[in-house]
Amino acid sequence: MQFLRVYLRVLRLLGSEKRIAAMLVVANLALAAAQFAEPVLFGRIIDLLAGAQAQGKTLKWDDLIPLVGAWVGFGLFTIAAAVTVALHADRLSHRRRLSMMAEYFEHVLHLPLGFHTATHSGRLLKTMLDATSNMAAVWLSFFRENCSSFVALFILLPMSLFVNWRLASLLIVLVILFAAMTGYVLRKTEGKQGEVERYHNDLAERASDALGNVAVIQSFTRVEAETRAMRQVTTALLNAQLPVLSWWAVMAVATRASATLTLVAIFILGTSLHLQGLATIGEIVTFMNFAGMLIGRLEQVVGFVNWVFLIIPKLQDFFQVLDTQPAVTDRPDAKDAGRLSGRVAFEDVSFSYDGRRTAVSEVSFAVEPGQTIALVGSTGSGKSTTLSLLHRVFDPDHGRITIDGIDLRDMTLLSLRKNIGVVFQEPMLFARSIEENLRVGKPEATAEEIAVALERAQASEFVSAQSDGLATIVGERGRSLSGGERQRVSIARALLKDPPIMIFDEATSALDATTERQLQAALDAATKGRTTFVIAHRLATVRNASRIIVFDHGKIVESGTFEELVAMNGRFAALARAQFMAGTEAPAPATAAP
């Protein structure tokens, strides 16, 4: 069953703590054995007293002390063992919870951008917090309660056949009927609970979206509409949850009824057997205690099964993410590339996102160290995909990309990305201080290096004007800064990294014209000696590029300097004329070819 597969996988995650886990299992075995021995000893004491009374004898404490002592000893051992198990189980479950949270977090950070594009960050966070907390509760309840319950039900209960096989058989049959009833309820509600969890995920995603876009909601007067949509999701969730709860309510009532019926059945059968001389009073008392103990265990197990059943979809979401493999990984023989000089070559590179529609087709070009290459073309023409292949967000389907003659796949991802600095169109700042955001590029940077990076990115003035300077917290995604300020911090972060290869993906799109001109001059100075790739829609920003590569439908259709491409009167010239007619700076007039 799905229930057992998920439950066993959660238990297998204790592998790194196997010594303590094994110790706790042994302790639970001893605890279950002690709990089994107590009613047996109590029954023997009753038989001893009843036998003496029937024979008209008077017992002395010396006759009872061995059995009473053993009974008390097992009772004290049970208390001590339970305390020991509870203490270590608590520590184990919390330790593993934090460890699994860290493993999940690290794994998610290694997953490709395509995965993150398709998966909501709010859902990933909810999955991490819900699943790790629930797994901790599973481990805790297993060692505190369920391990000894399973031992009692599947090992010690059959051993009760040696005490009185007739009474034991009745008890075993009742337990089997109870287990069958629980399995039936599980099968009836399994699919429904998966639907409930899907509504929970929808709820988390919708709430995260709304809270992350409060400004839009208020500006477009969407408060009531968003609230109404949220209520619709909660109503659908409740409608899906109620049938599941109804089945488990029936199960709870059945459990209570089973408790009463089991005790009555044991008493009636035991009395009948006693009248036939097939059971002693002590055995009846023993099995009444067995029944009470097992009923408590069954109620405990049913409650646990009910709870685990409700959380299984959360755990499945967690395992689904853990089972997702990164599309780009290090080869077993990948080497640390060290610091590269920046000679880049694309050799007949093709790539498709879905295997059907080609995003980049047969792209070939070479770049010498220190050159600035501009990639231009309409939206969806393959520019960003090409540069994503350069820093191995994806690997090409055909062809290869080399830096300094080394195939990217022959160097480790870490060493490759240390050599490349990327300034994205969306600045992507952390809700931390300006200095912490800058140090993402170079954690060990000195104050002088930070100051130089800010100066080159034209960010010194606005940073010094902040209330706390570099210590200013920029808020979620840098919202306390303007768009241009966020982008300048992003550029300073990349400059601080000091890589031999730089990629600017529409890095100046959020800047005003004055700041853009200032920044362009700074970038020209900052990128000297580095191989630089620029994606730009405003063609005026790439006039000074060593070469401009024009993309259309994933292919390179033109290549040359600004003046050469205008003179060709082709695709680039058409783009330039369109921008000129839209009011941007006109392209330089073409000079006649000699």
Side-chain angles (χ1 to χ4, degrees):
M1 288 178 63
Q2 189 180 52
F3 172 89
L4 287 176
R5 286 198 301 271
V6 174
Y7 184 59
L8 291 175
R9 182 167 182 180
V10 171
L11 294 181
R12 284 198 298 271
L13 290 175
L14 290 168
S16 60
E17 301 271 2
K18 57 186 178 183
R19 290 183 63 182
I20 296 178
M23 181 197 76
L24 289 172
V25 169
V26 170
N28 270 285
L29 288 170
L31 183 60
Q35 291 173 334
F36 180 82
E38 284 186 69
V40 174
L41 290 169
F42 185 59
R44 296 288 172 83
I45 293 170
I46 295 298
D47 278 339
L48 189 60
L49 291 172
Q53 186 180 32
Q55 296 173 13
K57 294 181 180 178
T58 302
L59 293 176
K60 297 180 180 179
W61 272 110
D62 290 345
D63 301 318
L64 295 172
I65 281 176
L67 287 175
V68 173
W71 184 34
V72 172
F74 277 115
L76 293 175
F77 174 80
T78 298
I79 295 171
V83 170
T84 301
V85 166
L87 179 63
H88 288 284
D90 268 345
R91 294 176 178 177
L92 173 63
S93 63
H94 285 291
R95 196 161 53 241
R96 285 303 296 155
R97 177 179 69 87
L98 296 175
S99 177
M100 286 308 303
M101 193 179 295
E103 288 179 29
Y104 175 91
F105 183 73
E106 181 181 9
H107 179 76
V108 167
L109 291 182
H110 278 96
L111 291 178
L113 292 180
F115 171 86
H116 290 281
T117 301
T119 309
H120 199 287
S121 59
R123 178 173 183 172
L124 289 174
L125 178 60
K126 175 182 177 294
T127 297
M128 180 180 73
L129 297 177
D130 284 353
T132 52
S133 295
N134 287 321
M135 282 192 288
V138 169
W139 296 322
L140 186 61
S141 61
F142 175 78
F143 289 118
R144 273 189 171 184
E145 303 156 356
N146 298 303
C147 182
S148 59
S149 294
F150 295 145
V151 171
L153 289 172
F154 299 112
I155 298 177
L156 300 183
L157 180 58
M159 289 178 63
S160 66
L161 290 165
F162 295 102
V163 179
N164 187 305
W165 69 268
R166 296 176 179 85
L167 289 171
S169 297
L170 175 62
L171 205 53
I172 290 171
V173 168
L174 291 172
V175 168
I176 291 173
L177 290 174
F178 190 86
M181 183 171 58
T182 303
Y184 176 76
V185 172
L186 278 173
R187 286 192 297 273
K188 292 292 289 184
T189 55
E190 191 169 45
K192 291 182 174 64
Q193 187 57 34
E195 183 182 355
V196 169
E197 189 55 30
R198 285 192 290 274
Y199 282 120
H200 275 296
N201 287 331
D202 289 345
L203 196 66
E205 290 180 11
R206 181 167 287 276
S208 178
D209 267 344
L211 294 174
N213 294 283
V214 170
V216 176
I217 290 172
Q218 291 178 350
S219 175
F220 286 84
T221 63
R222 291 281 304 172
V223 173
E224 290 185 9
E226 290 294 324
T227 303
R228 186 166 55 253
M230 178 68 81
R231 285 174 178 161
Q232 288 173 351
V233 175
T234 56
T235 299
L237 191 158
L238 185 61
N239 290 336
Q241 184 76 80
L242 287 177
V244 178
L245 297 177
S246 298
W247 273 107
W248 284 100
V250 170
M251 191 65 199
V253 172
T255 303
R256 293 293 179 184
S258 299
T260 302
L261 291 174
T262 301
L263 289 172
V264 171
I266 290 292
F267 180 76
I268 292 173
L269 179 61
T271 302
S272 175
L273 292 173
H274 178 67
L275 294 176
Q276 299 174 54
L278 298 175
T280 66
I281 294 174
E283 288 174 346
I284 295 173
V285 171
T286 295
F287 274 91
M288 290 292 285
N289 279 319
F290 277 163
M293 181 179 70
L294 289 173
I295 287 165
R297 297 288 191 184
L298 284 171
E299 289 181 340
Q300 189 181 84
V301 168
V302 168
F304 174 74
V305 168
N306 180 13
W307 172 72
V308 171
F309 173 75
L310 294 176
I311 67 169
I312 273 182
K314 302 178 192 294
L315 299 177
Q316 286 176 317
D317 283 347
F318 182 87
F319 291 135
Q320 185 177 13
V321 174
L322 278 188
D323 292 339
T324 302
Q325 294 300 315
V328 176
T329 56
D330 285 336
R331 287 177 173 175
D333 57 347
K335 301 289 194 300
D336 186 328
R339 185 171 177 88
L340 300 166
S341 64
R343 181 177 293 102
V344 177
F346 279 66
E347 301 174 8
D348 197 27
V349 171
S350 296
F351 173 75
S352 171
Y353 288 100
D354 55 12
R356 296 189 296 272
R357 186 175 62 86
T358 301
V360 171
S361 178
E362 299 175 353
V363 169
S364 295
F365 63 88
V367 184
E368 291 301 314
Q371 286 188 329
T372 296
I373 304 300
L375 281 64
V376 302
S378 58
T379 301
S381 59
K383 309 180 300 298
S384 295
T385 302
T386 299
L387 294 188
S388 293
L389 292 168
L390 178 58
H391 58 102
R392 287 197 75 192
V393 175
F394 317 102
D395 278 334
D397 299 326
H398 303 287
R400 69 172 192 154
I401 305 168
T402 65
I403 302 179
D404 296 355
I406 307 170
D407 192 314
L408 301 187
R409 291 165 290 197
D410 290 331
M411 59 181 79
T412 63
L413 273 170
L414 182 62
S415 64
L416 168 66
R417 290 174 180 170
K418 280 184 176 179
N419 280 279
I420 300 176
V422 183
V423 179
F424 301 95
Q425 185 173 4
E426 170 62 38
M428 299 182 188
L429 300 184
F430 297 96
R432 303 169 189 172
S433 70
I434 293 174
E435 183 173 357
E436 286 177 289
N437 273 284
L438 293 172
R439 288 188 182 278
V440 168
K442 187 177 182 181
E444 72 281 4
T446 64
E448 290 76 17
E449 289 173 325
I450 290 175
V452 169
L454 288 172
E455 186 68 33
R456 287 180 174 176
Q458 300 291 305
S460 297
E461 186 176 344
F462 90 79
V463 169
S464 61
Q466 298 292 317
S467 57
D468 296 317
L470 283 169
T472 301
I473 304 297
V474 299
E476 186 179 4
R477 297 182 180 272
R479 285 179 182 167
S480 67
L481 304 178
S482 70
E485 289 170 344
R486 288 197 297 269
Q487 192 61 283
R488 280 179 275 173
V489 171
S490 175
I491 292 170
R493 177 174 63 190
L495 294 176
L496 188 62
K497 186 179 180 181
D498 189 29
I501 300 171
M502 294 281 283
I503 296 174
F504 294 92
D505 187 352
E506 280 292 314
T508 61
S509 61
L511 305 179
D512 57 76
T514 301
T515 305
E516 183 180 12
R517 283 194 296 271
Q518 294 171 344
L519 185 59
Q520 197 64 50
L523 290 178
D524 289 342
T527 57
K528 276 185 179 175
R530 307 178 202 272
T531 304
T532 305
F533 294 87
V534 180
I535 294 176
H537 288 103
R538 286 186 282 190
L539 303 184
T541 63
V542 296
R543 278 183 179 275
N544 299 325
S546 307
R547 185 165 20 129
I548 299 171
I549 299 176
V550 184
F551 279 80
D552 187 35
H553 292 92
K555 294 186 175 184
I556 296 176
V557 293
E558 293 175 358
S559 178
T561 64
F562 191 97
E563 290 75 14
E564 288 170 347
L565 292 174
V566 170
M568 287 181 188
N569 200 30
R571 177 70 177 165
F572 182 83
L575 290 172
R577 282 195 298 271
Q579 288 197 9
F580 168 66
M581 291 175 67
T584 58
E585 186 179 346
T591 56

